[in-house]
Every structure is written in structure tokens, then in C-alpha cells.
Amino acid sequence: GLNGREKTILCMSAGYGYAKEYKDKEIAEVLGLTSERVRQLRHSATKKFAAAYKAVAKLSLVLFFSI
């Protein structure tokens, strides 16, 4: 799953739970990271999130067709 920092970066990037969508540079300043590190973490978190979503979608299809 996603760790706390990854969740924060994704939420800030999307503006989920925040007043606006933040750019990597702004997130980096808040978290005390470089913009490049924020980009790397966002990329990694996005891949993890997509993999989890894909797994849930597959499970949903299996359950739907087994009814």
C-alpha cells in the first residue's frame, strides 16, 4: 500500500482534501524534499495506486460473473 508521504503527495497533487492542487515544487517545500524526489514518489505512488485499482477491478469482475 501507500505510505503516509505517498498519500500526502497524491492528495496534494490532486487537491483532494486541500483548497487547491499543488505543484511538485510547492509540495517539496511543504515536505522538505526536492521537486525531483516529489516527482519520483508521485510516480511510484501512482503506479501502486493503479495496480491496486486493477486488482479490485479484476476481483469485482470475478465476483460479478460468479453470481
Short mmCIF file of all heavy atoms in Angstrom, two decimals:
data_model
loop_
_atom_site.label_atom_id
_atom_site.label_comp_id
_atom_site.label_asym_id
_atom_site.label_seq_id
_atom_site.Cartn_x
_atom_site.Cartn_y
_atom_site.Cartn_z
N GLY A 1 0.81 -1.19 0.00
CA GLY A 1 0.00 0.00 0.00
C GLY A 1 0.86 1.26 0.00
O GLY A 1 2.08 1.20 -0.01
N LEU A 2 0.18 2.34 0.00
CA LEU A 2 0.86 3.63 0.01
C LEU A 2 1.25 4.01 1.43
O LEU A 2 0.50 3.81 2.37
CB LEU A 2 -0.06 4.72 -0.55
CG LEU A 2 -0.57 4.55 -1.96
CD1 LEU A 2 -1.54 5.67 -2.31
CD2 LEU A 2 0.57 4.52 -2.95
N ASN A 3 2.44 4.60 1.56
CA ASN A 3 2.83 5.11 2.88
C ASN A 3 2.27 6.53 3.04
O ASN A 3 1.71 7.11 2.11
CB ASN A 3 4.35 5.05 3.08
CG ASN A 3 5.12 5.97 2.15
OD1 ASN A 3 4.70 7.08 1.86
ND2 ASN A 3 6.27 5.50 1.68
N GLY A 4 2.41 7.09 4.21
CA GLY A 4 1.84 8.39 4.52
C GLY A 4 2.32 9.50 3.60
O GLY A 4 1.53 10.35 3.16
N ARG A 5 3.59 9.50 3.29
CA ARG A 5 4.16 10.54 2.44
C ARG A 5 3.61 10.42 1.02
O ARG A 5 3.26 11.42 0.38
CB ARG A 5 5.68 10.47 2.44
CG ARG A 5 6.34 11.61 1.73
CD ARG A 5 7.79 11.78 2.06
NE ARG A 5 8.56 10.57 1.89
CZ ARG A 5 9.87 10.48 2.07
NH1 ARG A 5 10.55 11.54 2.44
NH2 ARG A 5 10.51 9.35 1.90
N GLU A 6 3.49 9.19 0.52
CA GLU A 6 2.93 8.98 -0.81
C GLU A 6 1.48 9.44 -0.87
O GLU A 6 1.06 10.08 -1.84
CB GLU A 6 3.05 7.51 -1.21
CG GLU A 6 4.47 7.05 -1.47
CD GLU A 6 4.59 5.55 -1.62
OE1 GLU A 6 3.80 4.80 -1.00
OE2 GLU A 6 5.49 5.11 -2.36
N LYS A 7 0.70 9.11 0.16
CA LYS A 7 -0.70 9.54 0.21
C LYS A 7 -0.79 11.06 0.21
O LYS A 7 -1.61 11.64 -0.51
CB LYS A 7 -1.38 8.99 1.46
CG LYS A 7 -1.64 7.51 1.43
CD LYS A 7 -2.25 7.05 2.74
CE LYS A 7 -2.34 5.54 2.81
NZ LYS A 7 -2.79 5.08 4.13
N THR A 8 0.06 11.69 1.01
CA THR A 8 0.06 13.15 1.08
C THR A 8 0.37 13.76 -0.27
O THR A 8 -0.30 14.69 -0.73
CB THR A 8 1.07 13.64 2.13
OG1 THR A 8 0.70 13.13 3.42
CG2 THR A 8 1.14 15.16 2.19
N ILE A 9 1.37 13.23 -0.95
CA ILE A 9 1.77 13.76 -2.25
C ILE A 9 0.64 13.60 -3.27
O ILE A 9 0.31 14.53 -4.00
CB ILE A 9 3.07 13.09 -2.74
CG1 ILE A 9 4.25 13.58 -1.88
CG2 ILE A 9 3.32 13.38 -4.22
CD1 ILE A 9 5.55 12.83 -2.09
N LEU A 10 0.02 12.42 -3.32
CA LEU A 10 -1.09 12.22 -4.26
C LEU A 10 -2.26 13.15 -3.95
O LEU A 10 -2.84 13.75 -4.86
CB LEU A 10 -1.56 10.77 -4.25
CG LEU A 10 -0.69 9.75 -4.95
CD1 LEU A 10 -1.35 8.37 -4.90
CD2 LEU A 10 -0.41 10.14 -6.39
N CYS A 11 -2.60 13.27 -2.68
CA CYS A 11 -3.72 14.12 -2.29
C CYS A 11 -3.44 15.59 -2.59
O CYS A 11 -4.32 16.29 -3.11
CB CYS A 11 -4.05 13.93 -0.82
SG CYS A 11 -4.82 12.35 -0.45
N MET A 12 -2.23 16.04 -2.28
CA MET A 12 -1.89 17.44 -2.57
C MET A 12 -1.86 17.69 -4.08
O MET A 12 -2.33 18.73 -4.54
CB MET A 12 -0.55 17.81 -1.94
CG MET A 12 -0.60 17.91 -0.43
SD MET A 12 0.99 18.38 0.30
CE MET A 12 0.97 20.15 -0.02
N SER A 13 -1.34 16.75 -4.84
CA SER A 13 -1.28 16.90 -6.30
C SER A 13 -2.67 17.01 -6.91
O SER A 13 -2.90 17.79 -7.84
CB SER A 13 -0.55 15.71 -6.94
OG SER A 13 0.80 15.70 -6.57
N ALA A 14 -3.59 16.22 -6.38
CA ALA A 14 -4.96 16.20 -6.91
C ALA A 14 -5.86 17.24 -6.25
O ALA A 14 -6.98 17.47 -6.70
CB ALA A 14 -5.56 14.81 -6.73
N GLY A 15 -5.40 17.83 -5.14
CA GLY A 15 -6.23 18.78 -4.41
C GLY A 15 -7.28 18.11 -3.55
O GLY A 15 -8.21 18.73 -3.07
N TYR A 16 -7.14 16.79 -3.33
CA TYR A 16 -8.11 16.05 -2.53
C TYR A 16 -7.87 16.34 -1.04
O TYR A 16 -6.83 16.00 -0.51
CB TYR A 16 -7.98 14.54 -2.80
CG TYR A 16 -8.99 13.71 -2.05
CD1 TYR A 16 -10.32 13.69 -2.47
CD2 TYR A 16 -8.63 12.98 -0.94
CE1 TYR A 16 -11.26 12.94 -1.79
CE2 TYR A 16 -9.57 12.22 -0.25
CZ TYR A 16 -10.88 12.21 -0.68
OH TYR A 16 -11.80 11.48 0.00
N GLY A 17 -8.83 17.01 -0.41
CA GLY A 17 -8.69 17.38 0.99
C GLY A 17 -7.93 18.68 1.19
O GLY A 17 -7.63 19.08 2.31
N TYR A 18 -7.60 19.34 0.09
CA TYR A 18 -6.86 20.61 0.12
C TYR A 18 -7.65 21.64 -0.68
O TYR A 18 -8.49 21.29 -1.51
CB TYR A 18 -5.46 20.43 -0.46
CG TYR A 18 -4.58 19.55 0.38
CD1 TYR A 18 -4.58 18.17 0.20
CD2 TYR A 18 -3.77 20.08 1.37
CE1 TYR A 18 -3.80 17.34 0.99
CE2 TYR A 18 -2.97 19.25 2.16
CZ TYR A 18 -2.99 17.89 1.96
OH TYR A 18 -2.22 17.08 2.76
N ALA A 19 -7.35 22.92 -0.45
CA ALA A 19 -8.07 24.00 -1.11
C ALA A 19 -7.71 24.13 -2.59
O ALA A 19 -8.44 24.76 -3.35
CB ALA A 19 -7.80 25.33 -0.40
N LYS A 20 -6.58 23.53 -3.00
CA LYS A 20 -6.14 23.65 -4.38
C LYS A 20 -5.27 22.45 -4.75
O LYS A 20 -4.91 21.66 -3.88
CB LYS A 20 -5.34 24.94 -4.59
CG LYS A 20 -4.02 24.96 -3.84
CD LYS A 20 -3.21 26.19 -4.20
CE LYS A 20 -1.77 26.02 -3.75
NZ LYS A 20 -0.86 26.89 -4.46
N GLU A 21 -4.94 22.34 -6.02
CA GLU A 21 -3.98 21.34 -6.49
C GLU A 21 -2.58 21.96 -6.39
O GLU A 21 -2.37 23.08 -6.84
CB GLU A 21 -4.27 20.95 -7.94
CG GLU A 21 -5.57 20.22 -8.12
CD GLU A 21 -5.87 19.87 -9.56
OE1 GLU A 21 -5.05 20.14 -10.45
OE2 GLU A 21 -6.96 19.31 -9.79
N TYR A 22 -1.68 21.23 -5.78
CA TYR A 22 -0.32 21.73 -5.59
C TYR A 22 0.62 21.22 -6.65
O TYR A 22 0.49 20.09 -7.10
CB TYR A 22 0.21 21.30 -4.21
CG TYR A 22 -0.43 22.04 -3.07
CD1 TYR A 22 -1.65 21.63 -2.54
CD2 TYR A 22 0.17 23.15 -2.51
CE1 TYR A 22 -2.25 22.30 -1.50
CE2 TYR A 22 -0.41 23.84 -1.46
CZ TYR A 22 -1.63 23.40 -0.96
OH TYR A 22 -2.22 24.09 0.08
N LYS A 23 1.56 22.04 -7.04
CA LYS A 23 2.63 21.64 -7.97
C LYS A 23 3.73 20.94 -7.17
O LYS A 23 3.83 21.10 -5.95
CB LYS A 23 3.19 22.86 -8.68
CG LYS A 23 2.18 23.60 -9.53
CD LYS A 23 2.83 24.69 -10.32
CE LYS A 23 1.89 25.50 -11.16
NZ LYS A 23 0.83 24.84 -11.83
N ASP A 24 4.54 20.14 -7.85
CA ASP A 24 5.62 19.41 -7.18
C ASP A 24 6.51 20.33 -6.36
O ASP A 24 6.90 19.98 -5.24
CB ASP A 24 6.46 18.64 -8.19
CG ASP A 24 5.74 17.43 -8.76
OD1 ASP A 24 4.64 17.09 -8.29
OD2 ASP A 24 6.29 16.81 -9.69
N LYS A 25 6.82 21.49 -6.90
CA LYS A 25 7.70 22.43 -6.19
C LYS A 25 7.07 22.87 -4.87
O LYS A 25 7.75 22.95 -3.84
CB LYS A 25 7.98 23.65 -7.06
CG LYS A 25 8.92 24.63 -6.44
CD LYS A 25 9.23 25.80 -7.37
CE LYS A 25 10.17 26.77 -6.68
NZ LYS A 25 10.47 27.93 -7.52
N GLU A 26 5.77 23.12 -4.87
CA GLU A 26 5.07 23.53 -3.64
C GLU A 26 5.03 22.39 -2.62
O GLU A 26 5.23 22.61 -1.43
CB GLU A 26 3.65 23.97 -3.98
CG GLU A 26 3.58 25.21 -4.86
CD GLU A 26 2.17 25.49 -5.36
OE1 GLU A 26 1.51 24.55 -5.85
OE2 GLU A 26 1.76 26.65 -5.28
N ILE A 27 4.77 21.18 -3.11
CA ILE A 27 4.75 20.02 -2.22
C ILE A 27 6.14 19.81 -1.62
O ILE A 27 6.27 19.53 -0.43
CB ILE A 27 4.29 18.76 -2.98
CG1 ILE A 27 2.86 18.94 -3.47
CG2 ILE A 27 4.40 17.52 -2.09
CD1 ILE A 27 2.39 17.87 -4.45
N ALA A 28 7.16 19.96 -2.45
CA ALA A 28 8.54 19.80 -1.99
C ALA A 28 8.86 20.77 -0.86
O ALA A 28 9.48 20.38 0.14
CB ALA A 28 9.51 20.02 -3.16
N GLU A 29 8.42 22.00 -0.98
CA GLU A 29 8.67 23.00 0.06
C GLU A 29 7.98 22.62 1.36
O GLU A 29 8.56 22.74 2.44
CB GLU A 29 8.21 24.37 -0.41
CG GLU A 29 9.07 24.96 -1.51
CD GLU A 29 8.50 26.24 -2.12
OE1 GLU A 29 7.45 26.73 -1.64
OE2 GLU A 29 9.11 26.73 -3.09
N VAL A 30 6.75 22.15 1.26
CA VAL A 30 5.98 21.76 2.46
C VAL A 30 6.61 20.55 3.15
O VAL A 30 6.72 20.51 4.37
CB VAL A 30 4.50 21.46 2.09
CG1 VAL A 30 3.76 20.83 3.26
CG2 VAL A 30 3.81 22.73 1.63
N LEU A 31 7.04 19.56 2.37
CA LEU A 31 7.56 18.31 2.92
C LEU A 31 9.07 18.31 3.15
O LEU A 31 9.61 17.34 3.69
CB LEU A 31 7.19 17.14 2.01
CG LEU A 31 5.69 16.88 1.81
CD1 LEU A 31 5.46 15.69 0.90
CD2 LEU A 31 4.99 16.68 3.15
N GLY A 32 9.75 19.36 2.72
CA GLY A 32 11.19 19.42 2.89
C GLY A 32 11.94 18.47 1.98
O GLY A 32 12.96 17.89 2.38
N LEU A 33 11.44 18.31 0.76
CA LEU A 33 12.05 17.44 -0.24
C LEU A 33 12.41 18.26 -1.47
O LEU A 33 12.01 19.41 -1.59
CB LEU A 33 11.06 16.34 -0.65
CG LEU A 33 10.52 15.43 0.44
CD1 LEU A 33 9.37 14.59 -0.10
CD2 LEU A 33 11.62 14.55 0.98
N THR A 34 13.14 17.64 -2.39
CA THR A 34 13.38 18.28 -3.67
C THR A 34 12.19 18.02 -4.58
O THR A 34 11.45 17.04 -4.39
CB THR A 34 14.66 17.75 -4.36
OG1 THR A 34 14.45 16.36 -4.67
CG2 THR A 34 15.89 17.92 -3.48
N SER A 35 12.01 18.86 -5.57
CA SER A 35 10.93 18.66 -6.54
C SER A 35 11.10 17.33 -7.27
O SER A 35 10.12 16.64 -7.56
CB SER A 35 10.92 19.79 -7.58
OG SER A 35 10.62 21.01 -6.96
N GLU A 36 12.34 16.96 -7.55
CA GLU A 36 12.61 15.70 -8.23
C GLU A 36 12.19 14.51 -7.36
O GLU A 36 11.61 13.54 -7.85
CB GLU A 36 14.08 15.59 -8.60
CG GLU A 36 14.48 14.26 -9.23
CD GLU A 36 13.75 13.93 -10.53
OE1 GLU A 36 13.18 14.83 -11.18
OE2 GLU A 36 13.76 12.74 -10.92
N ARG A 37 12.45 14.59 -6.07
CA ARG A 37 12.06 13.49 -5.17
C ARG A 37 10.54 13.39 -5.08
O ARG A 37 9.99 12.28 -5.06
CB ARG A 37 12.68 13.69 -3.77
CG ARG A 37 12.41 12.55 -2.84
CD ARG A 37 13.05 11.26 -3.33
NE ARG A 37 12.73 10.15 -2.46
CZ ARG A 37 12.46 8.92 -2.87
NH1 ARG A 37 12.55 8.61 -4.15
NH2 ARG A 37 12.16 7.98 -2.02
N VAL A 38 9.86 14.51 -5.05
CA VAL A 38 8.39 14.51 -5.05
C VAL A 38 7.89 13.86 -6.33
O VAL A 38 6.98 13.03 -6.31
CB VAL A 38 7.82 15.94 -4.89
CG1 VAL A 38 6.32 15.96 -5.15
CG2 VAL A 38 8.12 16.47 -3.49
N ARG A 39 8.48 14.20 -7.47
CA ARG A 39 8.09 13.60 -8.75
C ARG A 39 8.27 12.09 -8.72
O ARG A 39 7.40 11.33 -9.14
CB ARG A 39 8.91 14.20 -9.90
CG ARG A 39 8.44 13.73 -11.27
CD ARG A 39 9.48 13.99 -12.35
NE ARG A 39 10.68 13.19 -12.16
CZ ARG A 39 10.79 11.88 -12.42
NH1 ARG A 39 9.76 11.19 -12.85
NH2 ARG A 39 11.94 11.24 -12.23
N GLN A 40 9.42 11.64 -8.18
CA GLN A 40 9.69 10.20 -8.10
C GLN A 40 8.67 9.50 -7.21
O GLN A 40 8.16 8.43 -7.56
CB GLN A 40 11.10 9.96 -7.56
CG GLN A 40 12.21 10.37 -8.48
CD GLN A 40 13.57 10.38 -7.80
OE1 GLN A 40 13.68 10.22 -6.58
NE2 GLN A 40 14.62 10.58 -8.59
N LEU A 41 8.39 10.08 -6.06
CA LEU A 41 7.44 9.48 -5.12
C LEU A 41 6.02 9.48 -5.70
O LEU A 41 5.29 8.51 -5.54
CB LEU A 41 7.46 10.22 -3.78
CG LEU A 41 8.72 10.00 -2.95
CD1 LEU A 41 8.79 11.00 -1.81
CD2 LEU A 41 8.77 8.57 -2.41
N ARG A 42 5.64 10.55 -6.39
CA ARG A 42 4.32 10.62 -7.02
C ARG A 42 4.20 9.55 -8.10
O ARG A 42 3.18 8.86 -8.21
CB ARG A 42 4.07 12.02 -7.61
CG ARG A 42 2.68 12.18 -8.20
CD ARG A 42 2.36 13.60 -8.65
NE ARG A 42 3.47 14.32 -9.22
CZ ARG A 42 3.93 14.14 -10.47
NH1 ARG A 42 3.38 13.25 -11.26
NH2 ARG A 42 4.96 14.85 -10.91
N HIS A 43 5.26 9.37 -8.88
CA HIS A 43 5.26 8.35 -9.93
C HIS A 43 5.10 6.95 -9.32
O HIS A 43 4.27 6.15 -9.77
CB HIS A 43 6.55 8.44 -10.74
CG HIS A 43 6.67 7.41 -11.81
ND1 HIS A 43 5.95 7.46 -12.98
CD2 HIS A 43 7.41 6.28 -11.89
CE1 HIS A 43 6.24 6.41 -13.72
NE2 HIS A 43 7.12 5.68 -13.08
N SER A 44 5.87 6.68 -8.29
CA SER A 44 5.80 5.38 -7.62
C SER A 44 4.42 5.16 -7.00
O SER A 44 3.83 4.07 -7.13
CB SER A 44 6.88 5.31 -6.53
OG SER A 44 6.74 4.16 -5.75
N ALA A 45 3.90 6.17 -6.34
CA ALA A 45 2.58 6.06 -5.70
C ALA A 45 1.48 5.86 -6.72
O ALA A 45 0.55 5.08 -6.51
CB ALA A 45 2.31 7.31 -4.86
N THR A 46 1.59 6.54 -7.85
CA THR A 46 0.59 6.40 -8.92
C THR A 46 0.58 4.98 -9.46
O THR A 46 -0.48 4.40 -9.70
CB THR A 46 0.87 7.41 -10.04
OG1 THR A 46 0.83 8.73 -9.49
CG2 THR A 46 -0.15 7.31 -11.15
N LYS A 47 1.77 4.39 -9.63
CA LYS A 47 1.87 3.01 -10.10
C LYS A 47 1.24 2.05 -9.09
O LYS A 47 0.51 1.13 -9.46
CB LYS A 47 3.32 2.63 -10.37
CG LYS A 47 3.87 3.25 -11.64
CD LYS A 47 5.34 2.98 -11.86
CE LYS A 47 5.64 1.52 -12.01
NZ LYS A 47 7.07 1.26 -12.33
N LYS A 48 1.53 2.25 -7.79
CA LYS A 48 0.95 1.40 -6.74
C LYS A 48 -0.57 1.53 -6.73
O LYS A 48 -1.29 0.53 -6.62
CB LYS A 48 1.49 1.79 -5.37
CG LYS A 48 2.91 1.40 -5.10
CD LYS A 48 3.27 1.81 -3.68
CE LYS A 48 4.72 1.66 -3.38
NZ LYS A 48 5.02 2.11 -1.99
N PHE A 49 -1.05 2.76 -6.82
CA PHE A 49 -2.49 3.02 -6.81
C PHE A 49 -3.16 2.35 -8.00
O PHE A 49 -4.21 1.71 -7.85
CB PHE A 49 -2.73 4.53 -6.81
CG PHE A 49 -4.16 4.92 -6.64
CD1 PHE A 49 -4.74 4.95 -5.38
CD2 PHE A 49 -4.93 5.26 -7.74
CE1 PHE A 49 -6.07 5.31 -5.22
CE2 PHE A 49 -6.26 5.62 -7.59
CZ PHE A 49 -6.83 5.65 -6.32
N ALA A 50 -2.56 2.47 -9.17
CA ALA A 50 -3.12 1.86 -10.37
C ALA A 50 -3.16 0.34 -10.26
O ALA A 50 -4.14 -0.29 -10.66
CB ALA A 50 -2.32 2.28 -11.60
N ALA A 51 -2.10 -0.24 -9.69
CA ALA A 51 -2.06 -1.70 -9.52
C ALA A 51 -3.15 -2.16 -8.56
O ALA A 51 -3.83 -3.17 -8.80
CB ALA A 51 -0.69 -2.13 -9.01
N ALA A 52 -3.36 -1.42 -7.49
CA ALA A 52 -4.40 -1.77 -6.52
C ALA A 52 -5.78 -1.64 -7.16
O ALA A 52 -6.65 -2.49 -6.98
CB ALA A 52 -4.30 -0.88 -5.28
N TYR A 53 -5.98 -0.58 -7.94
CA TYR A 53 -7.25 -0.37 -8.63
C TYR A 53 -7.53 -1.51 -9.61
O TYR A 53 -8.64 -2.03 -9.69
CB TYR A 53 -7.25 0.97 -9.36
CG TYR A 53 -8.53 1.26 -10.08
CD1 TYR A 53 -9.63 1.77 -9.41
CD2 TYR A 53 -8.65 1.00 -11.45
CE1 TYR A 53 -10.82 2.02 -10.06
CE2 TYR A 53 -9.83 1.25 -12.11
CZ TYR A 53 -10.91 1.77 -11.42
OH TYR A 53 -12.09 2.01 -12.08
N LYS A 54 -6.50 -1.91 -10.33
CA LYS A 54 -6.64 -3.00 -11.30
C LYS A 54 -7.02 -4.31 -10.59
O LYS A 54 -7.87 -5.05 -11.06
CB LYS A 54 -5.33 -3.18 -12.07
CG LYS A 54 -5.40 -4.16 -13.20
CD LYS A 54 -4.09 -4.18 -13.98
CE LYS A 54 -4.15 -5.16 -15.12
NZ LYS A 54 -2.90 -5.20 -15.88
N ALA A 55 -6.40 -4.56 -9.44
CA ALA A 55 -6.70 -5.78 -8.68
C ALA A 55 -8.15 -5.77 -8.20
O ALA A 55 -8.85 -6.79 -8.27
CB ALA A 55 -5.75 -5.92 -7.50
N VAL A 56 -8.62 -4.63 -7.73
CA VAL A 56 -10.02 -4.52 -7.26
C VAL A 56 -10.97 -4.70 -8.43
O VAL A 56 -12.00 -5.36 -8.31
CB VAL A 56 -10.25 -3.16 -6.55
CG1 VAL A 56 -11.73 -2.91 -6.31
CG2 VAL A 56 -9.48 -3.13 -5.24
N ALA A 57 -10.64 -4.12 -9.58
CA ALA A 57 -11.49 -4.24 -10.76
C ALA A 57 -11.59 -5.70 -11.20
O ALA A 57 -12.68 -6.19 -11.53
CB ALA A 57 -10.95 -3.38 -11.89
N LYS A 58 -10.47 -6.42 -11.16
CA LYS A 58 -10.48 -7.84 -11.53
C LYS A 58 -11.35 -8.64 -10.56
O LYS A 58 -12.15 -9.48 -10.98
CB LYS A 58 -9.07 -8.41 -11.52
CG LYS A 58 -8.29 -8.18 -12.77
CD LYS A 58 -6.97 -8.90 -12.70
CE LYS A 58 -6.17 -8.74 -13.96
NZ LYS A 58 -4.89 -9.45 -13.90
N LEU A 59 -11.19 -8.37 -9.28
CA LEU A 59 -11.97 -9.07 -8.27
C LEU A 59 -13.46 -8.79 -8.47
O LEU A 59 -14.29 -9.70 -8.37
CB LEU A 59 -11.53 -8.66 -6.86
CG LEU A 59 -12.30 -9.29 -5.71
CD1 LEU A 59 -12.19 -10.80 -5.73
CD2 LEU A 59 -11.80 -8.75 -4.38
N SER A 60 -13.80 -7.56 -8.76
CA SER A 60 -15.20 -7.19 -8.99
C SER A 60 -15.77 -7.98 -10.17
O SER A 60 -16.92 -8.45 -10.10
CB SER A 60 -15.32 -5.69 -9.26
OG SER A 60 -14.94 -4.97 -8.13
N LEU A 61 -14.99 -8.10 -11.23
CA LEU A 61 -15.47 -8.86 -12.40
C LEU A 61 -15.67 -10.33 -12.06
O LEU A 61 -16.66 -10.94 -12.45
CB LEU A 61 -14.48 -8.72 -13.55
CG LEU A 61 -14.52 -7.39 -14.31
CD1 LEU A 61 -13.38 -7.34 -15.32
CD2 LEU A 61 -15.86 -7.21 -15.00
N VAL A 62 -14.73 -10.89 -11.32
CA VAL A 62 -14.84 -12.30 -10.92
C VAL A 62 -16.09 -12.50 -10.08
O VAL A 62 -16.87 -13.44 -10.32
CB VAL A 62 -13.58 -12.75 -10.14
CG1 VAL A 62 -13.80 -14.10 -9.48
CG2 VAL A 62 -12.38 -12.80 -11.07
N LEU A 63 -16.30 -11.62 -9.12
CA LEU A 63 -17.49 -11.74 -8.27
C LEU A 63 -18.76 -11.54 -9.06
O LEU A 63 -19.76 -12.25 -8.88
CB LEU A 63 -17.42 -10.74 -7.12
CG LEU A 63 -16.32 -10.99 -6.09
CD1 LEU A 63 -16.25 -9.85 -5.10
CD2 LEU A 63 -16.52 -12.32 -5.39
N PHE A 64 -18.78 -10.60 -9.98
CA PHE A 64 -19.95 -10.32 -10.79
C PHE A 64 -20.33 -11.52 -11.66
O PHE A 64 -21.49 -11.90 -11.72
CB PHE A 64 -19.69 -9.08 -11.68
CG PHE A 64 -20.83 -8.77 -12.60
CD1 PHE A 64 -21.96 -8.14 -12.12
CD2 PHE A 64 -20.77 -9.12 -13.94
CE1 PHE A 64 -23.02 -7.84 -12.97
CE2 PHE A 64 -21.83 -8.84 -14.79
CZ PHE A 64 -22.95 -8.20 -14.32
N PHE A 65 -19.33 -12.11 -12.30
CA PHE A 65 -19.63 -13.22 -13.21
C PHE A 65 -19.83 -14.56 -12.50
O PHE A 65 -20.25 -15.53 -13.12
CB PHE A 65 -18.55 -13.33 -14.29
CG PHE A 65 -18.67 -12.24 -15.31
CD1 PHE A 65 -17.69 -11.26 -15.41
CD2 PHE A 65 -19.76 -12.17 -16.17
CE1 PHE A 65 -17.80 -10.24 -16.35
CE2 PHE A 65 -19.88 -11.16 -17.11
CZ PHE A 65 -18.90 -10.20 -17.20
N SER A 66 -19.52 -14.60 -11.21
CA SER A 66 -19.73 -15.86 -10.48
C SER A 66 -21.10 -15.91 -9.81
O SER A 66 -21.45 -16.89 -9.17
CB SER A 66 -18.63 -16.05 -9.44
OG SER A 66 -18.73 -15.06 -8.44
N ILE A 67 -21.88 -14.86 -10.00
CA ILE A 67 -23.23 -14.83 -9.38
C ILE A 67 -24.20 -15.64 -10.22
O ILE A 67 -24.19 -15.66 -11.39
CB ILE A 67 -23.72 -13.38 -9.23
CG1 ILE A 67 -22.84 -12.66 -8.22
CG2 ILE A 67 -25.17 -13.32 -8.83
CD1 ILE A 67 -23.17 -11.18 -8.06
#
